[in-house]
Amino acid sequence: MSDWHSSINIATLLTLEDVQKPELLADPDHETPLLKLAADTHAKGYDALCVPLTTERWRTRWREMCLIATGEDRDTATVAAERRAEEWREKPAFLLDEVTLTRLDEAANVIAVVSDWLELDSEDDWLRHDFEIALQQELAYATYLNIGTAILPPPRNRAHAASYGRAIGAALAANPALHLSLRLPIYDPAVFQAQAGKPPASPAPVSVPGSPSPATFSPSRASVSSVGSSVARAPEGDLNGNWEMWDVIRSVCDYHPHLSLTLDLTPPLPSGAGILDRWAAEPLRHVFLPSSAFIANAKGYPVLPKGTQSFIRDIIKASTSRSLFRPAIVLGGVAGAGAHARGGEGAYLQYVRHLEKTSPAIVAQNTPGTVEHYAYGYQDYLQSPLQPLMDNLQSLTYQTFEKDPVKYRNYEEAVFKALVDWPAAEHVTICVAGAGRGPLVARCLTAADRARRKVVLYAVEKNPNAYVTLQHRNATEWEERVKLFYGDMRAVELPAQVDILVSELLGSFGDNELSPECLDGAQRFLQPNGISIPASYTSWLAPLSSSKLHNEARRGNDVKAVETTYVVMFKAVKILSGAGPGAGKRCGGAIQECWEFEHPRRDVPLDARGLPLTNSHNVRSKTLNFHIPHAGVLHGFAGYFEAVLYGDIGLSIHPERMDAVSKDMLSWFPLFIPIKDPLYLPSNSELQVSIWRLTNKRQVWYEWYAESFMPVSYTTASVEKDASPALPRMPLPRFPSIDSRGSLLTSSQSTPVVAASPLVDAVDVFPFDRRAGSPSPRFVTREELGAEDGARGEGVVKIGQTALHNPGGRSCWIGLM
Amino acid sequence: MSDWHSSINIATLLTLEDVQKPELLADPDHETPLLKLAADTHAKGYDALCVPLTTERWRTRWREMCLIATGEDRDTATVAAERRAEEWREKPAFLLDEVTLTRLDEAANVIAVVSDWLELDSEDDWLRHDFEIALQQELAYATYLNIGTAILPPPRNRAHAASYGRAIGAALAANPALHLSLRLPIYDPAVFQAQAGKPPASPAPVSVPGSPSPATFSPSRASVSSVGSSVARAPEGDLNGNWEMWDVIRSVCDYHPHLSLTLDLTPPLPSGAGILDRWAAEPLRHVFLPSSAFIANAKGYPVLPKGTQSFIRDIIKASTSRSLFRPAIVLGGVAGAGAHARGGEGAYLQYVRHLEKTSPAIVAQNTPGTVEHYAYGYQDYLQSPLQPLMDNLQSLTYQTFEKDPVKYRNYEEAVFKALVDWPAAEHVTICVAGAGRGPLVARCLTAADRARRKVVLYAVEKNPNAYVTLQHRNATEWEERVKLFYGDMRAVELPAQVDILVSELLGSFGDNELSPECLDGAQRFLQPNGISIPASYTSWLAPLSSSKLHNEARRGNDVKAVETTYVVMFKAVKILSGAGPGAGKRCGGAIQECWEFEHPRRDVPLDARGLPLTNSHNVRSKTLNFHIPHAGVLHGFAGYFEAVLYGDIGLSIHPERMDAVSKDMLSWFPLFIPIKDPLYLPSNSELQVSIWRLTNKRQVWYEWYAESFMPVSYTTASVEKDASPALPRMPLPRFPSIDSRGSLLTSSQSTPVVAASPLVDAVDVFPFDRRAGSPSPRFVTREELGAEDGARGEGVVKIGQTALHNPGGRSCWIGLM
């Protein structure tokens, strides 16, 4: 809620040459060259330095030890190298000239860049092993120097992404204070090369200076895009390649909170945002901007192309949350920039700060009255939904919500319209059910004045403390025009039935603060033709991905925490669903309606007091199908509501409709419904979500579950075609009428059954049998489609599922009745 | 280990007519008709009765209450029915004539059959709700009567399988003493009908006697085979349909141990076993055999067709384990059997008992000396692997293993062959490393006698207790011909190096009892040209499904228990993998090799004592790709080993090779490597498994991880074709040489990078952009394949993953060094 003061961090990437410049040695004001460099960098306006941790000497020694011949042609030198390697493996340590930093003060404000030649996903098992020891050695040294963050070399080999992840996971466990940030190009540019008709870029051969037998060093790296070795991946897989590797690695590391991304913008950004969106839901710690990412503007100063600008601004937006991850910008190669001569190094920093200052999100955030300003500090922060039925709210909570500039305006308008529409009568009776500190009471009075209708106004409130405020306002403000009733709306008795019943009991998901149950209790106040405001409300759902929310919800390792709903101002979140209908033609839109409640509800049997006999009529369930255009990981669902207050006056937090219905309304953040174990969803898949609103005599709760599907084309060999001529065609069995033979399946509602013909059984042939023309389901291939004339069709195949969440309300009731 | 005495249980399915026969009422010897019926049934040789729990009256009342009109056309009768329904929902209860059983003694030996008209997966939300209340009411009544098991109506609607499962889960929670068994036809016969060119079987319309407005009862049940509503499923999905519903339901119930299957063999069995195999890995509690499943033999007596016979025999085999689930056979409709007049009802029982008695598995099990006999009682029983290095074994354990008729024979043969091959010399020196109670010592002496070679024999043993037995045998049996050394083979010193080193340190997965590490310690005993027996061993892996093993491993809710390996005699297990290579052409066989260890190993640098400096050379890792022909749920992996002792003499527990290498060997059951959260694998998918053998200075452990993929065909719009003519074709960027511009990706080992051309950025076009000819990946459809001429190809798409198991050895070390 405070203004945004701290500005984005900017770091500079130093090269080994930068660190080892001879002129640094001669400076009298600083004890070591690194201290001089740090002072210079700080003076230029940077907040931090990225420094390579090791020198070329380390790489040379490692190669001499570890890149050696095995097998038959071992000579004395090889054997000696092997022994040195074993001694190193036993007790890994650096020599002085193998590292760039040696002192604690040198390491202050330093982000360590781990040796980028560590191929933790090398094809070669033994090299991987030795690379991992080297990694552990470097990170242990960084920890020794109290360095906070180390940047890891990018993964390069999809086939061994799991090995990369396992090594990182071990490193995180061994260095509990260290943050590891995985450097990753925003996509794999090699893909693009291959696509444009060129042969796929083959990796540059690895030169192994000083190695006695380079032939045994076999970094036969598969292209990033190939899983395994012999099969090309589908293009979508290629586009997703880097993200998919990241996903494997962070999954293998079990979403470790100290693992983040250094997103490398060296590959030029595509303008289509679809593929890029997903990065917003990932833990970005740094964004690397090389000078090559800049272009020159008309005056020759460095600026970023439009796509990169908007991407950076999105990143900055994300960084304004109280996120664990406030990405810093790392500038690279700007010191001796050639292409953008104007302005020098300072121009790059200035430009990034300018981008930040003029970002619409930042501007809005610093402007009081905007949603951004109001919501600042709540972004991605998990709050438990209010349970006003169970708890009595604090005055401060009421005050916060009463500030909403839109919600009460719309309520007043709804009451006004209802009063205008109401038939002529001496007076109209209104009841505010759940009056709180009285905002709706005040609006009803204003609406009555505006509509020039005489009203009798009742106000019911069960919070004894708020009831004092109501009495106070009635005496001082409302001239005792309001009849106050203290008690639960399900128990209080009013002197007469009313014409209009006004309530504000809605939660982020509509019914999730038990509005239906409360209004069931208050409906007896309403005369048969009376009006309820709200008249109805709908709940909406969308699948989302957010490693941040996932990690927040499961903090503490309690299953309850991932089977509970939260109120969250979403920021580092990606909605996974796209517009339907998907290949399977059965998907709805990106955000789909779950269920609706209407008031008043007239068809429910009531007891003598006018209360429903059971809560059965408030049970709901829904199964929704979502189309998932781009691969992602499901971490849960976003829940929204939309309410009709009266006529065309409503309230909405549905992202696509809120601006039309109730723009700038602040009172509700969306609901976050987490799942325990993330579910991987491929590109172009379909997600089927089941959600239930359940009730027993005392509680109301939700349960939820999801399955994933993929659309497929298939061919079926025709029945006749493959039939073995030696076998007689069996008469097709009929159904049903096999009751007399004892089937369990005798009910008229059972699945129809094929009666067994003894003849069929005796020769033991059944059309399922391949010989008699079996269905031959598989995913179609090009060749086969040309070659076969069997039945063809399309369908979906199930590919995954989640657990049922919150079974029996074990973790979370949305309310107690 | 004991003989198998108890025979299979056989129950009879009674109908309502059976229960309500008027003649039962008149019997003077029994207090109630049901008691008479029970006595009669017992007299016929049955072990139990399946009795429908409710009568038609209950169905009628339920319909009158719950199948009523909603909406505008409500009349007084409707309102009254609604009120009755609400009163029922509030306090569900039976009237006396609505149930078949009323007394505890009547319910003894009774399996309750729940009303089969309860459609817990109805399309209609409100009916589902009322069906669930009725289910809870029936099960609560069964619990009241102390009934142990209730059979549930079959699920019929794939689209609401999750709702069915949720209701069952709630019922299991509410009735903790009750076992629920889900009745399920072995496949959905409607599929077959549709396939044979007939229109899909439409369900019989539901008649609603007495309902005032049947139109509002909308059991518009989708075919079992359709997910959602508008899309046809691929045939494979149809074949899998019933199993897939079962999988959803038991997953939603979180593999509740009281949830089992009553497999209904009413649909004729196909002869191909592929689809049927999977049922063996599921918790079968009953198998239902209607009289219609029988055919008449030449003499007119009822017999089962061959396919059913072998299926039943497999079931019987599974039932011999000390499984939770010993399926009983439920015979239906055999009382008044028409088709198989000869023999009457008794003939059916006799035949089933005959099948059991003549089952090869049962015969083998009752024959001492067979593996089946030896293994009885160990089937599907999880044992922790031995850790002989850490623990000293008991004499009884030694004795058990020494009984193996094959293992020591093969060892003797290997030593014999090695001695025969050994160059002429005065004598040959042999060391038995880890002599235990001396079985290998004895075999070495016999082999030497057979080979007529003079041997000097050393025996090293670290177990002080076994060392006493060795001394005893040396004195009494071996005439002090053996030189005994007491101590760990990694520490003991021998007087001279030996020619042959014999050891038996292998585990079920080869190296998992630390044979490599132990032999590293003993190798210094061996002279440079010496022979190690075993010479090498390989580890093998296959993915498996077994709800039973999954449930056993996670008992106690401890993550450690599902990240530990177990030794298990597999029974209710399905190996999911088929022969490769799969559609993606990259899969190996059903069981694939992980890694190998060879002895002696000569290329490892040693310290002064002859021991390796580190254990790095015993690190292993492997990534394997398996083809999954039929949909299943991955619960873990089966691990096997095969060893070469010497020359062509070996030991193997590889299922496809054990009979050729070491038939009837008893000493090793396979290894079970569980995973925590089951992974769903669709038909025709691919499973990529990564497994690591890791080590630090003190421990050795495995870690494992898996990803699932699906093969796809795809088309790519060609680059030129869709290019917008308004946009200039960009010169393709080159790489690398962007170091000077500051890329992080400067290493020669980095991914090649496309250098950004400022021009490209400035006009903001990049070939990823759709306009400029983007790849357009999707799953191919028939129409498109005909219509497009873009590049086509095949590949795989990732569809799921597991967590990394046992990271850092947190849950399980296979050994301490």
Side-chain angles (χ1 to χ4, degrees), chain A residues 556-573:
Chain A
N557 272 329
D558 183 0
V559 73
K560 280 190 195 303
V562 284
E563 296 189 340
T564 307
T565 61
Y566 298 94
V567 170
V568 186
M569 170 75 179
F570 291 145
K571 212 70 191 177
V573 162

Side-chain angles (χ1 to χ4, degrees), chain A residues 128 158 231 584 621 707 713 780, chain B residues 128 158 231 584 621 713 780:
Chain A
R128 273 208 312 279
R158 175 66 181 87
V231 166
S621 88
E707 292 180 76
S713 302
V780 75
Chain B
R128 274 208 311 280
R158 175 67 180 89
V231 166
S621 88
S713 302
V780 74

